[in-house]
Amino acid sequence: MNRTDGLVRRVKARDTESNGGSSSSAANHADQEDNKVDKEDEMEDCDSKETRLTLMEEVLLLGLKDKEGYTSFWNDCISSGLRGCILIELGLRGRIELERAGMRRKGLCTRKIILKSDTPTGDVLLDEALKHIKETCPPETIQSWIEYLSGETWNPLKIRYQLKNVRERLAKNLVEKGVLTTEKQNFLLFDMTTHPLTDNVIKCRLVKKIQDAVLTKWVNDPQRIGKRMLALILLAHASDVLENAFAPLNDDDYELAMRRVRELLDLDFETESSKSNANEVIWAVFAAFTK
């Protein structure tokens, strides 16, 4: 099987006109960040033929019931969790960053998101969020953006920032990648579009990747865990879908996995974000979900 089978390729828009040194530099930096993210993905999946998924798609896939093709009706966390995924993806791809802490050393939750590059990512959801961030002045915090993108704000002027039908749009991406299929199910009073699993191999690899990260490949230093894997574990927890990855484990491994996840949740996110090579956006999103 070719690695690119069923894969929707990322299309990176590049400037064809000269817009000055600063915009060209920002675009080049964004391309470098995209390439770095691609290489990190390849290192994590170097022994598999896995279709490349975004953080949003991975979290949704964990939350979907395999045969039924929809998320639990009782899960009220996944909506905001997916918005956190979007912000971290933009941070990993070099599109956004946090404002400088300054002399008074502002906390992660009070620092604003700053646009680093407006170069399109090629992903519709990411680019939609990026456009909102670009157009917002003055800048807003991570917590505010999670609320705006989720539509959970009392400010009527911010309702336009809501990203609508995120789960359905992500599910359609997974259908295009050959992971899910589309069906109609009748629920007595209404019909609902569902997306049952069609490629169990992809989900099994995702589950095993998470299990291995907290069991066989565990390291005590979170800075040595891949940024995407660290984000996936904590965002899956924030979205209340991490349990689905650990459910197949035996009792001893389950307890060990959950204990190690709790160790990550108990970290001082402010301290971790100040370490060299840390991505502050990642830790700010974690702080927003655990405060």
Side-chain angles (χ1 to χ4, degrees), residues 6-52:
L7 177 64
V8 176
R9 293 179 177 273
R10 292 176 181 161
V11 179
K12 301 184 181 66
R14 300 179 185 275
D15 292 336
T16 56
E17 298 179 1
S18 175
N19 295 316
S22 60
S23 60
S24 176
S25 175
N28 290 337
H29 179 78
D31 285 341
Q32 290 172 4
E33 291 295 330
D34 280 338
N35 291 335
K36 186 164 72 172
V37 168
D38 288 347
K39 288 178 181 177
E40 287 177 356
D41 287 348
E42 289 171 3
M43 289 176 66
E44 287 184 0
D45 299 329
C46 60
D47 295 326
S48 76
K49 305 296 184 187
E50 186 175 356
T51 298
R52 184 108 17 104

Side-chain angles (χ1 to χ4, degrees), residues 70-87:
Y70 53 82
T71 57
S72 170
F73 294 123
W74 309 108
N75 188 337
D76 57 357
C77 301
I78 194 168
S79 177
S80 57
L82 290 173
R83 273 64 175 189
C85 291
I86 289 172
L87 294 174

Side-chain angles (χ1 to χ4, degrees), residues 132-148:
H132 291 327
I133 293 171
K134 179 183 178 180
E135 294 174 349
T136 301
C137 187
E140 299 279 2
T141 64
I142 287 278
Q143 181 67 55
S144 294
W145 273 114
I146 291 174
E147 293 173 359
Y148 297 160

